[in-house]
Amino acid sequence: MDVFDLRGRLVADYQSYTRSFIKIRDARIAEFVDNSLNAGAFWPEPLLQLNPTFLSGGTIDDLVAKDVLHRECARIFRLDKSDSDHTGKQLFLHEHQRAAIVKAREGKSYVLTSGTGSGKSMTYIVPIVDHVLRSGSGRGIQAIVVYPMNALANSQDEELKKFLEKGYPEGRSPVRFARYTGQEKGDVREAIRSNPPDVLLTNYMMLELLLTRTEDRELVRAAQGLRFLVFDEFHTYRGRQGADVALLIRRCRQAFGGGEIICVGTSATMASGGSSEEQRREVAKAAQSLFGTAFGPDQVISETLERATPEVDLAAGTVKETIRGAIASDEAPPADYDAFRLHPLASWIESTFGVREESGTRALIRQVPRRLQGSDIEGQKSAASELADLLDADPERCSSVLRRFLLHGSKLRRSESSRFPIFAFRLHQFLTRGDTVWATLESEAERHLEITKKAAKPGQPEKPLFPLVFCRQCGTVYYRVKFVSNDQGKAVLPREDRREDDDDGTTDAYLYASAQSPWPRGVGQALLERLPEFMKELSTDGAERLRPESQKDLPESVFVEASGRITREGQGLAAAVIHRNFLFCLEPSCGVAYTKTQRSERNKLATLGVDNRSTATTILAVRSLIELQGDRDLNREARKLLSFTDNRQDASLQAGHFNDFVQVALLRSGLHKAAHQKGSAGLSHGELSRSVFDAMQLPFEEYAADPEIHGPNRNSTHDALRRVIGYHLYRDLQRGWRVTAPNLEDCGLLTFEYVGLGGSDGLLGEARLWDTGFSVREGRAAERLVDTPAALRACTPEIREAAA
Ligand SMILES: [Zn+2]
């Protein structure tokens, strides 16, 4: 997989979705928006970062030899063990893992801060297992590990099974552990209570319950003398939740009577900014208040990094020349691991995206993520431009060679058994939902435009910028404003959103200004022609006139200065103010009008913002899954997407949305395939659900409650699904039930024909019927002939069909 290409396709999908909502009539604004989007205003260049290489901390065997660890640890902690024995691979530790194990052996509490993929959980699992081995299994709960999410507890559970169960006869694991979360059912919980494990994996809510429920008293008793209390990802407990957890920890100390509890926390980067020493102090402070025990900076263990490539001096004679040669040539990067590692360009890449020396301490720390390519943003160069400047080369060329080196490095390993390649890198792609166009109050040819919110035109604070909205029907531009009328006169101010009240003495309004179709001044024929029907009536002499009650809904003709002040006639910009509700479009060729009860601005006027965030997220997810499913190089179980969100409601909403989307997509693709197979004859109602069912080719076990059944039961299961599909097919065609997913007929992708209506022998062409009339029978009465209405009699079969 080429992740750069994947990024391109992902952004293209998002782009086409976002652009599909944008309709702007003003050519100058449309071009401005188009250029801004092409420059990546809503989908900037991704940031790139290398996963760092951790300094080695030796092996488990080394620590066993030094008696830091119990000798059984050498059998337990091996990689890829088989079910029956302990061969497998030697487990190499990172330096921060070794330091944590030593700290635990000294009986000290500690916090480990490091990034993802740095083996944080090993920093408490190894010491816990070592402790249980030394003190003896089956003496009650000796360690409690608390996870912020059950998903983390589950994956830890899997991980522990590999170490503690593989290679041992069933039930003879040297250390016993159990998961105790809301997922465990009654009998499992009962088994845990009656035979407590050595290590308990749980979450903080469950731990809270465990301390209070009478049925869990056995567990509290079993945890007397607890040695380890671990909070995984403890940086997640902040604010009120942090206070809850801090108090919970204090109650745990009390309940488990532990004088000697070792408190362990793991954390991602907790404090951003500041030197590593300052960060350590911050983390120690946070740990102290959470765990309620003294924590010094020496108890905060952070990652120790090393370079994967040698550091090079760019000023040295041949270094620049070698890099320049690599950029100029079309040669592939060195295939051999060591040749690649020693290439000066590999060193340059690691210094740019991987690690740097911290000033003062000279320790290696992670580089901040950086753009690979693209133009300068606020004086910050992309990596490719920086390299191009250094070598006096073409930035495009630099970018493509850098990509080649990065991709090659992401596959190259020191040896078969190395877990990570030399350049494991990540792309961080940000996508914004967009805002709207902001413009000054000036003529269409002159107004200054911005794609993001700014208070005023740069350098001209007297010209404020106003947000623009666009008629959904025709794309005509309106300024969204607040209307002020007081002692100082009248004015319009920029308004970002619809507001419920106008406590500040302003009212919601829109401003229309068009040189080509200016709003007529005064009440005359020109004005009447621009008004929608519902604002007009016929007077007794048959002339059209304004309804008296519509007087207050008339747009107000004004002249406005760039500052927003309403000024005298003939000065400033000629415009019209629509007060409060947007009732009709002022552009004469549009003609869209709304009733007063349609108050939602969103349905009438658009911005550039993606209205439906859930759909945007689903589109990105679907594209990622399509790409992953198509990548045969990946293991099947690796073809998956993880999605994180910052609150549960959002997660539930998105999950439901995704399911819906997948269902509709499956149904529609089934229909498409069935219709395609049938060809020009089309599908008739009678064969519809069967054909779509066949086209879907769903595996039986995907929908059958009991996939084992045979014979007539199997047929009736098929039949049930066919009927469900039939129902959903028609339900999906119901009009307007999803604004962002119009049905296939609305999109013009599906047409219906009615049997016996059209064609040469259809009812519509039958002259006798239309000329003379048709017979009807009501109840038990005799048939009687009804005349065909004159209008229908006179028209062509095509018009009759449209009417039908
Ligand atoms: Zn319009």
Side-chain angles (χ1 to χ4, degrees):
M1 174 181 289
D2 182 332
V3 70
F4 299 104
D5 290 345
L6 169 84
R7 181 266 170 189
R9 290 190 290 270
L10 200 66
V11 163
D13 275 7
Y14 186 72
Q15 187 168 163
S16 102
Y17 175 69
T18 308
R19 283 180 189 265
S20 70
F21 292 103
I22 300 175
K23 186 178 197 178
I24 301 172
R25 196 181 164 84
D26 182 296
R28 192 165 156 259
I29 299 178
E31 193 193 337
F32 169 77
V33 168
D34 196 45
N35 289 341
S36 303
L37 294 187
N38 287 341
F42 295 170
W43 38 84
E45 278 293 324
L47 299 176
L48 197 150
Q49 189 181 30
L50 292 183
N51 283 354
T53 309
F54 299 107
L55 186 67
S56 168
T59 62
I60 293 278
D61 291 3
D62 293 344
L63 294 177
V64 169
K66 287 180 193 150
D67 194 34
V68 176
L69 290 177
H70 188 274
R71 63 189 151 72
E72 192 65 20
C73 286
R75 277 151 57 85
I76 293 171
F77 294 109
R78 291 188 75 80
L79 296 173
D80 304 331
K81 288 196 286 186
S82 78
D83 285 338
S84 53
D85 71 58
H86 294 95
T87 43
K89 288 189 244 167
Q90 174 86 267
L91 196 151
F92 287 90
L93 295 169
H94 300 316
E95 171 55 25
H96 58 263
Q97 292 173 323
R98 189 199 63 83
I101 293 167
V102 170
K103 192 67 85 182
R105 189 77 178 101
E106 292 167 3
K108 294 216 176 95
S109 294
Y110 56 93
V111 168
L112 196 109
T113 61
S114 180
T116 47
S118 59
K120 279 196 290 246
S121 62
M122 291 297 277
T123 64
Y124 54 82
I125 292 299
V126 177
I128 288 172
V129 167
D130 175 66
H131 173 74
V132 176
L133 290 172
R134 285 172 199 270
S135 63
S137 174
R139 294 177 54 246
I141 299 171
Q142 302 182 49
I144 296 178
V145 187
V146 182
Y147 296 91
M149 287 185 288
N150 283 347
L152 291 173
N154 297 349
S155 69
Q156 189 69 73
D157 192 71
E158 292 297 316
E159 201 63 20
L160 280 175
K161 275 183 191 150
K162 283 186 208 154
F163 287 130
L164 294 170
E165 290 178 1
K166 281 207 167 176
Y168 292 97
E170 198 170 332
R172 300 287 301 280
S173 162
V175 175
R176 288 178 48 245
F177 63 94
R179 195 180 53 188
Y180 196 66
T181 66
Q183 290 172 327
E184 274 62 53
K185 297 282 168 281
D187 52 335
V188 179
R189 284 192 199 176
E190 198 42 57
I192 293 172
R193 283 180 202 128
S194 57
N195 187 11
D198 304 313
V199 186
L200 195 73
L201 314 179
T202 186
N203 59 50
Y204 85 95
M205 290 297 287
M206 203 61 180
L207 184 56
E208 181 90 54
L209 288 173
L210 194 144
L211 288 178
T212 48
R213 282 195 299 222
T214 46
E215 63 262 38
D216 281 333
R217 264 193 210 138
E218 275 311 310
L219 284 178
V220 176
R221 225 186 322 269
Q224 292 304 307
L226 185 81
R227 180 62 168 161
F228 282 92
L229 183 58
V230 180
F231 275 77
D232 192 63
E233 307 280 342
F234 93 109
H235 59 279
T236 51
Y237 307 110
R238 297 181 216 196
R240 182 199 56 78
Q241 200 186 35
D244 280 354
V245 171
L247 290 173
L248 170 67
I249 291 173
R250 283 153 180 80
R251 284 201 297 283
C252 283
R253 287 176 178 287
Q254 220 168 32
F256 306 138
E260 302 293 313
I261 293 185
I262 296 178
C263 294
V264 182
T266 71
S267 162
T269 43
M270 187 128 180
S272 52
S275 68
S276 51
E277 188 51 40
E278 281 160 9
Q279 289 187 13
R280 246 199 287 279
R281 273 204 297 273
E282 276 302 307
V283 174
K285 228 166 80 186
Q288 184 157 323
S289 49
L290 192 78
F291 288 114
T293 178
F295 257 91
D298 61 314
Q299 283 163 283
V300 178
I301 301 165
S302 43
E303 58 194 23
T304 313
L305 309 179
E306 63 174 349
R307 291 186 63 101
T309 65
E311 201 171 352
V312 291
D313 180 7
L314 289 168
T318 58
V319 170
K320 249 184 179 172
E321 281 320 304
T322 315
I323 299 181
R324 189 174 284 132
I327 299 291
S329 81
D330 262 328
E331 274 170 49
D336 172 66
Y337 179 89
D338 273 312
F340 181 85
R341 196 176 72 82
L342 296 173
H343 197 290
L345 186 56
S347 295
W348 188 87
I349 288 174
E350 190 176 23
S351 302
T352 307
F353 297 110
V355 288
R356 66 185 169 95
E357 251 183 31
E358 186 179 43
S359 61
T361 63
R362 306 213 63 195
L364 282 179
I365 55 171
R366 297 180 187 220
Q367 263 294 9
V368 283
R370 195 142 171 213
R371 285 174 302 126
L372 173 66
Q373 56 188 23
S375 48
D376 297 5
I377 295 176
E378 286 161 10
Q380 277 211 318
K381 281 187 183 306
S382 69
S385 322
E386 189 186 311
L387 187 61
D389 286 358
L390 183 76
L391 306 171
D392 198 15
D394 171 36
E396 294 272 325
R397 184 133 197 106
C398 289
S399 160
S400 89
V401 175
L402 284 173
R403 269 171 70 154
R404 211 182 301 155
F405 265 71
L406 282 162
L407 287 171
H408 184 65
S410 73
K411 298 196 181 90
L412 212 53
R413 283 158 211 267
R414 182 188 293 273
S415 67
E416 284 285 309
S417 61
S418 304
R419 272 184 77 198
F420 296 109
I422 182 164
F423 285 164
F425 68 92
R426 285 179 273 177
L427 284 191
H428 304 269
Q429 176 67 55
F430 294 89
L431 300 159
T432 65
R433 64 193 298 253
D435 175 22
T436 192
V437 183
W438 293 70
T440 51
L441 277 181
E442 290 176 284
S443 75
E444 287 145 301
E446 288 173 315
R447 55 190 164 198
H448 175 80
L449 303 172
E450 291 281 348
I451 196 88
T452 48
K453 185 185 168 185
K454 282 203 174 70
K457 181 174 174 179
Q460 284 182 275
E462 73 283 6
K463 289 185 177 174
L465 288 164
F466 289 74
L468 301 182
V469 287
F470 308 95
C471 171
R472 286 222 187 251
Q473 195 69 31
C474 71
T476 290
V477 175
Y478 295 89
Y479 290 91
R480 186 158 55 192
V481 299
K482 284 189 283 200
F483 188 78
V484 196
S485 175
N486 56 27
D487 306 345
Q488 278 99 54
K490 294 177 178 177
V492 289
L493 303 169
R495 171 168 66 93
E496 280 196 64
D497 271 312
R498 188 193 173 82
R499 300 159 318 141
E500 286 308 313
D501 48 39
D502 31 65
D503 283 351
D504 56 353
T506 66
T507 51
D508 288 1
Y510 302 92
L511 192 93
Y512 168 85
S514 165
Q516 204 196 342
S517 315
W519 189 247
R521 304 182 59 77
V523 187
Q525 193 52 37
L527 177 75
L528 283 174
E529 276 170 16
R530 300 277 289 267
L531 295 179
E533 291 307 315
F534 70 82
M535 291 179 78
K536 297 182 280 194
E537 62 182 11
L538 288 181
S539 63
T540 42
D541 57 359
E544 230 178 16
R545 67 176 185 201
L546 181 70
R547 278 174 181 272
E549 65 269 31
S550 292
Q551 183 70 42
K552 62 181 189 324
D553 295 326
L554 273 185
E556 179 187 354
S557 288
V558 295
F559 285 89
V560 61
E561 291 176 351
S563 67
R565 205 166 67 86
I566 308 283
T567 178
R568 269 183 291 133
E569 181 162 352
Q571 292 184 339
L573 185 69
V577 177
I578 301 168
H579 290 285
R580 291 184 185 272
N581 215 349
F582 184 86
L583 282 177
F584 64 101
C585 184
L586 271 50
E587 161 60 38
S589 67
C590 175
V592 71
Y594 302 94
T595 65
K596 286 199 174 178
T597 51
Q598 289 171 291
R599 297 186 62 83
S600 159
E601 176 194 279
R602 227 182 83 169
N603 294 339
K604 300 184 271 192
L605 297 163
T607 61
L608 298 186
V610 173
D611 279 329
N612 198 320
R613 197 175 39 152
S614 308
T615 311
T617 308
T618 295
I619 283 172
L620 293 170
V622 167
R623 165 53 63 191
S624 311
L625 288 169
I626 290 172
E627 297 282 337
L628 286 164
Q629 291 299 326
D631 191 334
R632 301 291 153 202
D633 293 344
L634 284 176
N635 289 332
R636 266 193 83 79
E637 65 268 24
R639 296 180 205 154
K640 65 189 169 194
L641 176 75
L642 290 181
S643 174
F644 295 88
T645 175
D646 60 359
N647 67 72
R648 289 179 206 190
Q649 288 91 331
D650 216 36
S652 323
L653 177 77
Q654 191 62 51
H657 186 277
F658 192 79
N659 279 342
D660 261 12
F661 187 90
V662 169
Q663 194 198 324
V664 170
L666 191 66
L667 199 68
R668 291 182 179 184
S669 55
L671 177 61
H672 174 262
K673 191 172 164 194
H676 189 71
Q677 281 168 351
K678 193 70 197 289
S680 58
L683 288 166
S684 70
H685 168 73
E687 62 189 340
L688 182 67
S689 56
R690 174 174 280 273
S691 309
V692 174
F693 169 82
D694 291 343
M696 281 180 168
Q697 291 181 325
L698 293 172
F700 191 61
E701 62 275 12
E702 290 279 315
Y703 55 89
D706 178 7
E708 301 301 320
I709 53 167
H710 290 282
N713 284 341
R714 204 176 170 94
N715 286 338
S716 51
T717 305
H718 282 154
D719 199 42
L721 184 68
R722 271 195 291 269
R723 273 186 266 170
V724 169
I725 289 173
Y727 167 76
H728 280 292
L729 279 170
Y730 285 106
R731 186 169 169 271
D732 184 47
L733 287 164
Q734 221 175 316
R735 184 175 291 267
W737 67 287
R738 277 195 183 97
V739 182
T740 50
N743 71 43
L744 294 177
E745 198 183 9
D746 283 343
C747 299
L749 294 171
L750 187 71
T751 49
F752 280 87
E753 277 173 22
Y754 296 89
V755 179
L757 207 58
S760 55
D761 52 350
L763 282 171
L764 294 167
E766 218 173 288
R768 190 180 54 81
L769 194 68
W770 296 98
D771 294 345
T772 52
F774 51 96
S775 55
V776 290
R777 184 205 287 268
E778 279 163 2
R780 316 193 83 190
E783 279 191 14
R784 66 189 171 88
L785 202 66
V786 175
D787 281 347
T788 301
L792 278 176
R793 194 182 297 182
C795 65
T796 61
E798 287 73 36
I799 296 177
R800 287 176 196 151
E801 183 172 8

